[in-house]
């Protein structure tokens, strides 16, 4: 793979499916200049017209849903069921954001001697930098509300997964969005991505990726006081209390860390189980993990596909020593980047596999004594993205939900992401929020205007 081009591999076979040209720094510059011009026109258009075009974009995505889903299976190895959900998520986000265009209201605040109003103005050109684990939804989480709020968007997809993003940019034009308003710039993070972060014409960066890169982007943005949203890593707990419906908790646990082969920032990779039911819970969990169907992602019955790349496979292997005590599922042999579902059952809470984000199908199960101990363990991490708790006691559910320092919690389920509810991390899992009713305001500046009635 030369620096000027990136090979896109099928993770299920390891074969090259397409080669994509990387965007140079000079090309980023030219794209930013075109986006700046397009944004001025876009912001001046009537809100109803902008909303209509975004709804049309949603409809065109819907018309191409199966094509987009198959492209995601090909470049990211996602199961076809997940990939369809992901393309549908892009459509829904565009629709939801379109509904916000005409509701982007300022406020009228009572003052003496005049009228005081606030105006929510677009930022200008927004740079969205996306990771490879959910290429389509995460691209849309930034892009849809940014466009709806009157901005232009430059999207840099991950090196390994640029194909769906490139197709979405074509579909935007089919839908009638103005040229250059939404441009996709594939390329290396430290070249194309960094050019966006450093560019004086890019008003805000929305970065989703590793905490390490997020910190370096934050430092670069600081120099220009550039606006920034960060969606970073996680090591989320799944807390199972003795009073929970253990059958339901055990049945739901495998896909809480195996979905997308564990390459999910919200993966519940620390399974905390009350000591009094620890053995019983493991007896229920083992068959549930062993029966997860791992294989060809394009097969409708498959629940878990391959990892994204050989590098990721080696990284995951590094966390699971030969002979580790674990519940293991199965995975195909041969070509492709396969790793079996794994639950480490004899591991210290401070071991690397129990503390660091692995981003693979590996979880650690750790016993706790009581509620206080559970909260202490849940919070004993630099991350704070998601978490689940299982209990039949409503008061405990509320107490623990308040005590766990994470942005997205679910009680008696593992759900974290809905496009109409806010999403984001505490601590080193991120900065700011995406999605939900306030998504558009994250792409605006508030201007306060006082008009004297005494002149
Ligand atoms: P990564 O940080 O390596 O890369 C993410 C993106 O940043 C890629 O597009 C990459 O090219 C780009 N990039 C890399 N270096 C850059 C630089 N110096 N300047 C600008 N851009 C640069 O992350 P990844 O391995 O692609 O994704 C996995 C990570 O993403 C995990 O840590 C995961 O937890 C996190 N993630 C977080 C969320 C969330 O919402 N909090 C969602 C999905 C993934």
């Amino acid at each position: 793979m030369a620096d000027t081009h990136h090979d896109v591999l099928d993770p299920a076979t390891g074969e090259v499916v397409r080669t994509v040209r990387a965007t140079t720094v000079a090309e980023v510059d030219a794209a930013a200049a075109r986006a700046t011009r397009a944004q001025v026109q876009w912001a001046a258009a009537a809100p109803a017209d902008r909303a209509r075009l975004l709804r049309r974009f949603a409809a065109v995505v819907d018309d191409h849903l199966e094509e987009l889903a198959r492209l995601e299976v090909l470049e990211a190895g996602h199961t076809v069921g997940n990939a369809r959900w992901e393309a549908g998520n892009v459509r829904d986000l565009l629709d939801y954001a379109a509904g916000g265009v005409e509701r982007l209201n300022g406020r009228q605040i009572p003052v003496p001697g005049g009228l005081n109003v606030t105006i929510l103005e677009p930022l200008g050109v927004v740079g969205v930098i996306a990771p490879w684990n959910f290429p389509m939804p995460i691209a849309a989480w930034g892009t849809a509300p940014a466009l709806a709020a009157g901005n232009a968007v430059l999207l840099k997809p991950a090196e390994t997964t640029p194909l769906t993003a490139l197709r979405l940019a074509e579909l935007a034009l089919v839908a009638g969005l103005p040229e250059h308003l939404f441009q996709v710039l594939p390329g290396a993070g430290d070249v194309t991505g960094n050019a966006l972060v450093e560019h004086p014409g890019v008003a805000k960066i929305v970065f989703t990726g590793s905490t390490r890169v997020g910190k370096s982007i934050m430092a670069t943005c600081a120099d220009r006081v550039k606006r920034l949203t960060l969606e970073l890593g996680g090591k989320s707990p799944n807390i199972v209390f003795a009073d929970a419906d253990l059958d339901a908790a055990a049945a739901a646990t495998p896909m809480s860390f195996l979905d997308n082969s564990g390459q999910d920032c919200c993966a519940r990779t620390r399974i905390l189980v009350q000591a009094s039911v620890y053995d019983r819970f493991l007896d229920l969990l083992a068959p549930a993990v062993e029966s997860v169907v791992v294989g060809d992602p394009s097969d409708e019955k498959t629940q878990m596909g391959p990892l994204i790349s050989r590098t990721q496979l080696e990284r995951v292997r590094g966390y699971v020593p030969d002979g580790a005590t674990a519940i293991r599922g199965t995975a195909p042999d041969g070509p492709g980047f396969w790793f079996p579902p794994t639950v480490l059952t004899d591991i210290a809470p401070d071991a690397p596999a129990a503390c660091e984000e692995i981003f693979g199908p590996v979880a650690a199960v750790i016993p706790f004594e009581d509620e206080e101990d559970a909260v202490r363990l849940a919070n004993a991490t630099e991350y704070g993205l998601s978490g689940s708790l299982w209990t039949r006691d409503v008061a405990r559910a509320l107490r623990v939900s308040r005590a766990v320092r994470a942005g997205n919690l679910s009680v008696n389920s593992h759900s974290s992401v809905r496009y109409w509810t806010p999403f984001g991390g505490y601590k080193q899992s991120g900065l700011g929020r995406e999605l939900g009713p306030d998504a558009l305001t994250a792409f605006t500046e508030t201007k306060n205007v006082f008009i004297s009635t005494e002149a």
Side-chain angles (χ1 to χ4, degrees):
M1 186 163 75
D3 287 348
T4 53
H5 290 77
H6 292 164
D7 287 341
V8 180
L9 307 186
D10 176 349
T13 63
E15 282 167 17
V16 177
V17 293
R18 190 128 29 116
T19 299
V20 171
R21 207 174 69 76
T23 313
T24 64
V25 174
E27 286 167 338
V28 171
D29 215 26
R34 289 193 297 268
T36 302
R37 289 192 291 275
Q39 189 270 329
V40 173
Q41 304 283 321
W42 178 243
D49 291 339
R50 280 193 271 141
R52 193 174 304 110
L53 280 170
L54 289 172
R55 279 192 205 100
R56 257 191 227 152
F57 188 9
V60 173
V61 168
D62 195 42
D63 289 344
H64 294 78
L65 198 129
E66 190 63 21
E67 179 202 330
L68 287 164
R70 294 285 166 186
L71 209 49
E72 205 67 299
V73 174
L74 188 67
E75 69 171 344
H78 290 188
T79 61
V80 66
N82 277 11
R84 287 189 189 117
W85 180 89
E86 289 161 36
N89 188 247
V90 177
R91 171 202 57 209
D92 294 343
L93 257 159
L94 286 165
D95 260 334
Y96 182 66
V101 178
E102 292 143 305
R103 296 173 178 82
L104 200 52
N105 303 323
R107 294 197 288 184
Q108 181 264 313
I109 300 169
V111 290
L115 178 75
N116 193 97
V117 289
T118 63
I119 305 170
L120 301 185
E121 296 187 338
L123 300 170
V125 179
V126 171
V128 176
I129 301 178
W132 47 260
N133 63 329
F134 290 109
M136 266 194 289
I138 290 175
W141 293 8
T143 301
L147 292 175
N151 302 279
V153 171
L154 300 175
L155 165 65
K156 198 212 78 70
E159 293 85 328
T160 38
T161 54
L163 300 185
T164 44
L166 287 165
R167 187 66 184 127
L168 284 172
E170 290 170 1
L171 296 180
L173 294 178
V174 171
L177 253 72
E179 235 191 331
H180 310 313
L181 186 70
F182 170 43
Q183 300 174 65
V184 173
L185 312 175
D190 56 358
V191 181
T192 313
N194 186 56
L196 278 179
V197 178
E198 289 190 337
H199 202 288
V202 175
K204 173 168 182 165
I205 293 291
V206 179
F207 171 79
T208 305
S210 59
T211 297
R212 183 185 61 80
V213 174
K215 285 178 184 175
S216 81
I217 288 179
M218 192 172 180
T220 310
C221 285
D223 199 36
R224 299 183 185 280
V225 197
K226 189 171 285 197
R227 277 65 182 135
L228 180 65
T229 299
L230 296 174
E231 296 288 3
L232 307 175
K235 189 75 183 174
S236 297
N238 169 15
I239 312 170
V240 182
F241 286 97
D243 67 10
D245 178 340
L246 292 185
D247 291 303
T253 290
M255 293 320 288
S256 78
F257 73 96
L258 296 176
D259 195 47
N260 207 26
S261 310
Q263 302 166 126
D264 181 343
C265 50
C266 292
R268 272 60 165 180
T269 49
R270 292 186 299 142
I271 309 169
L272 310 179
V273 182
Q274 196 150 14
S276 57
V277 295
Y278 183 85
D279 290 340
R280 213 172 116 222
F281 185 77
L282 285 199
D283 286 346
L284 294 167
L285 182 61
V289 169
E290 287 156 7
S291 62
V292 170
V293 181
V294 182
D296 178 1
S298 58
D299 185 329
E300 305 277 346
K301 291 191 290 299
T302 296
Q303 291 173 281
M304 189 184 114
L307 290 162
I308 186 77
S309 62
R310 179 153 311 282
T311 312
Q312 193 62 13
L313 177 61
E314 296 310 330
R315 192 180 131 75
V316 174
R317 276 195 187 129
Y319 281 101
V320 184
D322 287 342
T325 311
I327 299 167
R328 304 299 293 263
T330 54
D333 296 326
F337 313 126
W338 302 97
F339 196 85
T342 302
V343 180
L344 298 164
T345 51
D346 182 18
I347 180 165
D350 58 354
C355 299
E356 295 171 15
E357 184 178 50
I358 300 176
F359 235 48
V362 181
V365 60
I366 295 161
F368 67 84
E369 288 306 321
D370 53 19
E371 190 177 309
E372 194 184 340
D373 196 26
V375 169
R376 182 187 60 77
L377 280 169
N379 285 336
T381 168
E382 66 194 21
Y383 295 117
L385 190 55
S386 296
S388 305
L389 53 124
W390 293 78
T391 176
R392 288 185 168 111
D393 179 335
V394 176
R396 165 174 284 156
L398 278 171
R399 277 194 309 271
V400 176
S401 296
R402 286 185 175 142
V404 173
R405 296 189 46 76
N408 314 276
L409 294 175
S410 44
V411 177
N412 296 330
S413 94
H414 293 298
S415 129
S416 335
V417 182
R418 293 183 182 82
Y419 60 83
W420 65 101
T421 60
F423 179 81
Y426 278 42
K427 300 193 274 185
Q428 294 193 31
S429 284
L431 189 70
R433 292 291 178 273
E434 295 190 279
L435 309 178
D438 302 322
L440 270 61
T441 49
F443 295 98
T444 62
E445 290 284 9
T446 301
K447 182 174 282 175
N448 193 67
V449 178
F450 169 73
I451 305 153
S452 171
T453 48
E454 291 168 0

